[in-house]
Amino acid sequence: MMNMGERLRELRLRRKISQEEVARNIGITRSAYSHYEINNRQPVYDTLIKLAVFFDVSLDYIIGGTQHRDPLGHSSPDSRELLNLFRSMNQEQRQKSLTLISDFMHQEDSG
């Protein structure tokens, strides 16, 4: 079974991107990311989430648990479409969308 560093390296190489590109996309230094790949350091929880989102895999997959990369298992087409839209948004758009969805759900509950 692969350890976390090996998984991260595999995911990065599969995308044919540099450590610098991964680091820039998740908001850390290249040096910090390189330590994750060689298992010198463990990322904090927030960074693990950013890595899972960036590589489109589950947290369990990154930390070496499951062998499946799909974060949603066998999700419906609607779920995948929503997730893809969400991933394409910037942070402000994500927050507004979550607020709208939450407001909509609360209106449905009370109405």
Side-chain angles (χ1 to χ4, degrees):
M1 178 160 28
M2 279 194 256
N3 62 42
M4 184 171 39
E6 292 167 334
R7 288 267 166 99
L8 290 172
R9 180 174 165 74
E10 173 200 47
L11 290 165
R12 180 178 61 78
L13 293 176
R14 192 172 288 166
R15 281 198 175 182
K16 298 179 176 140
I17 57 176
S18 68
Q19 290 181 344
E20 179 66 36
E21 288 175 274
V22 175
R24 189 173 353 101
N25 277 283
I26 65 168
I28 62 172
T29 65
R30 187 214 52 84
S31 175
Y33 179 77
S34 70
H35 283 286
Y36 303 153
E37 279 196 9
I38 59 174
N39 288 303
N40 277 352
R41 272 195 241 158
Q42 299 296 311
V44 297
Y45 184 71
D46 288 346
T47 302
L48 278 173
I49 292 171
K50 289 176 185 178
L51 286 164
V53 169
F54 179 76
F55 286 122
D56 193 25
V57 296
S58 68
L59 286 173
D60 189 47
Y61 182 77
I62 285 183
I63 63 173
T66 182
Q67 297 298 312
H68 306 288
R69 289 191 312 258
D70 186 359
L72 299 177
H74 300 291
S75 60
S76 70
D78 288 345
S79 297
R80 286 191 298 272
E81 183 179 355
L82 280 170
L83 185 58
N84 287 334
L85 286 170
F86 191 75
R87 286 183 175 141
S88 69
M89 296 176 188
N90 64 36
Q91 189 59 39
E92 181 181 347
Q93 292 169 324
R94 287 179 180 188
Q95 190 56 51
K96 286 180 180 178
S97 297
L98 290 173
T99 300
L100 285 171
I101 292 168
S102 179
D103 290 348
F104 177 75
M105 295 302 294
H106 286 91
Q107 288 172 357
E108 291 289 310
D109 289 344
S110 61

